[in-house]
């Protein structure tokens, strides 16, 4: 079967996401991307992504109209659900706390900050169950929650002479197999903020992948022929 431009673009997107996940280094990405833009048939495209899906996910057949699976920071959510909680709460009084990196969030996690602050980072976290509730209470203090764009997060807190709500939000579709995280609680003369953003390392990988893709597009036209010194075919 002959491959279409849309199918080549979809394979290119999967390769870009694979770089963001750390599955491919930049040399491998550049080689596969060049091959993808030159490909004429499905048989040439399929090997380029055959070894990339995370456990529990699958790449749709090249000729299928089904959408490509969500990847990036949303990849491999099933492997991040389950196991014993490493933390079920945090407390700060005239000080601070943080939970970040690779840790396992309890099904019910309670955080309290009074005249202090706390940071809860979910971007690399694992989760004790599929349903998670994070309760945040602050009095004249602040708690900051950071989640990846693909995580299903629901904010229900109340602010009294303070704020309780969502802040910045990077682009990203909610992954259907991610945990459902409810953030509830009360901010009294203080604040609880929830931001959705990627880690610096992931943003850097995505930037490098986009730059490599643009360079490949500059060198090769849509039909895969080598471009001239000024970009002419």
């Amino acid at each position: 079967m002959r491959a279409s431009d849309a199918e080549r673009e979809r394979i290119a997107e999967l390769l870009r996401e694979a770089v963001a996940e750390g599955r491919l280094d930049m040399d491998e990405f550049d080689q596969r991307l060049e091959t993808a833009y030159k490909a004429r048939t499905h048989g040439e495209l399929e090997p380029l992504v055959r070894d990339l899906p995370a456990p529990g996910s699958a790449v749709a057949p090249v000729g299928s109209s089904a959408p490509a699976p969500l990847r990036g920071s949303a990849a491999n959510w099933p492997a991040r659900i389950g196991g014993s909680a490493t933390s079920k709460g945090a407390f700060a009084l005239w000080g601070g706390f943080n939970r970040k990196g690779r840790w396992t969030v309890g099904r019910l996690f309670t955080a309290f900050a009074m005249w202090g602050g706390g940071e809860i980072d979910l971007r690399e976290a694992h989760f004790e169950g599929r349903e998670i509730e994070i309760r945040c209470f602050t009095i004249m203090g602040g708690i900051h929650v950071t989640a990846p764009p693909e995580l299903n997060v629901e904010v229900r807190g109340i602010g009294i002479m303070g704020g309780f709500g969502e802040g910045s939000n990077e682009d990203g579709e909610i992954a259907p197999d991610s945990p459902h995280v409810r953030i509830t609680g009360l901010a009294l003369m203080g604040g609880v903020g929830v931001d959705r953003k990627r880690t610096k390392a992931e943003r850097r990988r995505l930037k490098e992948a986009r730059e490599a893709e643009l360079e490949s597009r500059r060198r090769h036209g849509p039909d895969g022929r080598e471009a001239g010194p000024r970009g002419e075919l």
Side-chain angles (χ1 to χ4, degrees):
M1 293 287 291
R2 301 283 290 185
S4 68
D5 287 342
E7 289 164 343
R8 282 187 282 269
E9 288 296 331
R10 186 155 61 83
I11 294 299
E13 176 64 16
L14 291 176
L15 294 174
R16 184 178 66 81
E17 295 291 355
V19 173
E21 298 168 10
R23 297 181 186 279
L24 296 177
D25 60 31
M26 293 306 299
D27 289 338
E28 290 175 309
F29 170 76
D30 191 57
Q31 292 169 6
R32 294 194 191 196
L33 187 66
E34 182 175 338
T35 302
Y37 282 130
K38 289 181 177 180
R40 288 289 176 269
T41 67
H42 293 172
E44 294 174 279
L45 286 175
E46 288 169 354
L48 300 177
V49 294
R50 185 175 295 155
D51 60 343
L52 295 181
S57 66
V59 174
V62 173
S64 171
S65 60
L70 291 170
R71 300 175 71 85
S73 59
N76 202 15
W77 282 113
R80 293 172 63 177
I81 300 173
S84 300
T86 58
S87 182
K88 295 185 178 182
F91 178 85
L93 176 63
W94 290 96
F97 67 80
N98 69 70
R99 298 290 186 274
K100 59 184 179 180
R102 297 202 174 183
W103 62 294
T104 302
V105 189
R107 285 186 175 85
L108 179 61
F109 182 92
T110 303
F112 178 82
M114 182 174 181
W115 298 321
E119 179 182 357
I120 302 171
D121 193 331
L122 305 175
R123 290 174 294 182
E124 298 179 13
H126 287 225
F127 303 85
E128 188 177 20
R130 186 168 295 277
E131 296 290 331
I132 300 291
E133 182 175 356
I134 297 177
R135 302 190 302 181
C136 297
F137 301 95
T138 178
I139 300 174
M140 300 180 68
I143 297 176
H144 182 219
V145 182
T146 307
E150 297 84 4
L151 181 63
N152 185 2
V153 176
E154 179 183 0
V155 181
R156 290 186 176 181
I158 299 172
I160 299 176
M161 298 180 66
F164 200 123
E166 297 189 64
S168 61
N169 188 3
E170 288 189 15
D171 291 338
E173 297 183 38
I174 302 299
D177 57 350
S178 78
H180 178 204
V181 178
R182 289 186 301 276
I183 300 177
T184 63
L186 172 69
L188 177 61
M189 292 185 290
V192 174
V194 181
D195 288 334
R196 297 172 182 268
K197 61 182 181 181
R198 306 182 191 281
T199 63
K200 290 182 180 179
E202 187 174 1
R203 288 199 298 270
R204 183 173 61 251
R205 287 195 298 267
L206 287 170
K207 180 181 178 181
E208 291 173 351
R210 292 189 189 101
E211 290 173 350
E213 185 172 356
L214 288 173
E215 177 63 19
S216 181
R217 287 174 182 271
R218 187 188 66 78
R219 294 200 310 265
H220 304 281
D223 61 357
R225 288 184 294 160
E226 189 76 24
R230 295 185 179 178
E232 297 92 349
L233 295 177

